[in-house]
Amino acid sequence: MNYLAHSFLSFTDGQIVGQFLEDFIRNRDRFSFPKDIQDGITLHRAIDTFTDSHPAIHEAKKVFAPLVRLYAGAFVDVSMDHFVANDFSLHTLDGWKAHSLRVYCVLNANEQWLPENFKKMLVKMEHDDWLYNYRENWGIKFSIQKVLNKAKYLDKDIPVFEAFLKNKERLQQCYDDFFPDLLAHAKGINTLIQLEN
């Protein structure tokens, strides 16, 4: 999951929590959360569906597909967070730092809703400031390695990070073609959510 993008494309604190929870809960459990958190889960799914169908993301997957085949999307997600973190049309550097700190604060304040495996990850995320450090190449290298380590059918030494570096300009162009569309889509979904509330 591209944590930074999902947190940025949240419009309330509850949506931040829901966006993070989506990958950690079973579908049938989503209705056990407060409405604002459910809205975040809905928004996360809408973002993922839109992302998976966007031509620029299909293009970006071509960078990683020869190395990791069906896992290409996961590495595109990680890559996109690097470009989000360096997109100063969205935030200044200080703004991204403040955003990261706010997200950790919101998640910790909603600890009662977080599953144990997420709580453990959150401790590491906050300690190493994953969200802010996605802007650095080493932060993305760390994230790419985490995906490789988790992937059941991938060798842990596949040179995915090297492919990222080699194709950084190409991936940046994919981001530039994609993210404004995603931002507009997320705002539209949020408007629909608010009308239903």
Side-chain angles (χ1 to χ4, degrees), residues 51-52 57 61 64-65 68-79:
T51 298
D52 290 342
I57 296 302
K61 286 180 181 178
F64 302 110
V68 296
R69 298 181 179 268
L70 295 177
Y71 286 90
F75 294 104
V76 170
D77 281 353
V78 171
S79 300

Side-chain angles (χ1 to χ4, degrees), residues 142-160:
F142 176 77
S143 295
I144 285 172
Q145 194 59 52
K146 278 193 310 175
V147 175
L148 281 171
N149 292 342
K150 282 184 179 180
K152 195 171 183 180
Y153 301 108
L154 292 181
D155 186 272
K156 310 312 175 199
D157 298 320
I158 297 172
V160 179

